[in-house]
Amino acid sequence: MEKNAVLQQDVQLKKGSWLLREKAQKRLFVLLAVGPCLAGYLLFTLYPNILSIYYSLLDWDGLTDASFVGFSNYKHMLTDPFVWKALYHNFLLMIFVPAATTMLALFLAHLLISKRYRENSFYKVLFFFPNVLATVVVTLLWAFIYDGSYGLLNGVLELFGIDTGNFYWLGDKRTALWCLIPPMVWGGVGLYTIIYMNAMRSIPESLYESAILEGAKPMTRLFKITIPLIMPIVRVGALFLSLGTIKGFELILILTNGGPSGSTDVIGLYMFNLAFGEEVHSYGYASSIGMLLFAILVGAKLLIDKFMPNRGYEF
């Protein structure tokens, strides 16, 4: 009896030690898997953002000694006409770029899913191709298209009998801002086409078969079945497109650098030029504009959450 009790106790101790080892292994795995990413996020994202709040209260060029000015940068920002002009340009782009990208991506995804072309694999690669290219390459490509002397756009218009007179599309205040929309849409539509195609494939075929028997046409099936069922994914896509349009400026920096005469200046580009420009170095004021941009991004996210349905449908 005593021997059995000792053996049973040994088994329990081994089982307990095994459980302890298993828990330790899980904790070690989580630490190794999440730890480096979390450390990188805290060090390179969260910490600089928190530090920017402090910098926004300083009069500092980023090199010399800083002086504390409180909320003076924010007061100046409210009366700065360049800030509101840049925000107006951001607002226009935020209206047209996400809407055009989403609608075009939904149409292409629906076309490729419903028609089942044999060339679908080639089309998916073709649509995704702009996302593989670097931003600089895409920007230089569109700069060539808009060029006045040998640009592709003027050449195509001349084929239809429209003489533009070597009109430089990015050099005119009337057209420069609107010319930014096509490259932004072209650069993003391929990725969202692939995303929406994968979402559409998860919808059961029986729903479409029932709709066809009821006499529903392709566009009716798109707006009554497909889009409502993938609306949570469309909503996330619209959110990322809107936020990217507000804070992005790389393409504009290379194409126009805010010109001509500030007609394409956006808030991100204005902030970048204030902090790292050749003539002005106002790191404190740029940080205050960064805080404004942060507030705008949060507000845009809340508006999308409010006006775009988030509920999914079970099928």
Side-chain angles (χ1 to χ4, degrees), residues 235-302:
R235 174 182 167 276
V236 173
L239 174 63
F240 281 119
L241 283 169
S242 300
L243 299 185
T245 304
I246 295 174
K247 67 179 183 179
F249 64 90
E250 298 88 350
L251 184 143
I252 303 173
L253 174 65
I254 302 172
L255 270 181
T256 64
N257 195 22
S261 301
S263 60
T264 59
D265 206 1
V266 292
I267 193 65
L269 180 60
Y270 184 50
M271 178 181 64
F272 175 81
N273 287 330
L274 281 173
F276 308 105
E278 297 179 358
E279 300 178 359
V280 181
H281 296 280
S282 182
Y283 203 85
Y285 186 44
S287 297
S288 65
I289 295 178
M291 294 300 102
L292 173 64
L293 182 59
F294 172 76
I296 292 173
L297 293 174
V298 173
K301 198 268 182 186
L302 294 176

Side-chain angles (χ1 to χ4, degrees), residues 199 202-204 207-208 222-234 311-315:
S202 65
I203 302 175
L207 296 176
Y208 293 109
L222 174 63
F223 287 101
K224 297 296 184 180
I225 298 177
T226 305
I227 294 180
L229 289 177
I230 66 170
M231 183 53 69
I233 299 174
V234 175
R311 68 181 187 274
Y313 293 87
E314 295 183 0
F315 47 82

Side-chain angles (χ1 to χ4, degrees), residues 144-167 169:
F144 169 76
I145 292 174
Y146 288 135
D147 189 85
S149 301
Y150 49 84
L152 180 63
L153 180 57
N154 285 341
V156 172
L157 291 176
E158 288 178 3
L159 292 177
F160 291 93
I162 302 174
D163 186 12
T164 58
N166 293 334
F167 180 74
W169 296 87

Side-chain angles (χ1 to χ4, degrees), residues 27 106 182 291:
R27 291 172 183 170
L106 282 172
M291 294 300 102

Side-chain angles (χ1 to χ4, degrees), residues 9 37 50 62 139 181 249 285:
Q9 186 176 5
C37 298
I50 294 176
T139 305
I181 297 176
F249 64 90
Y285 186 44

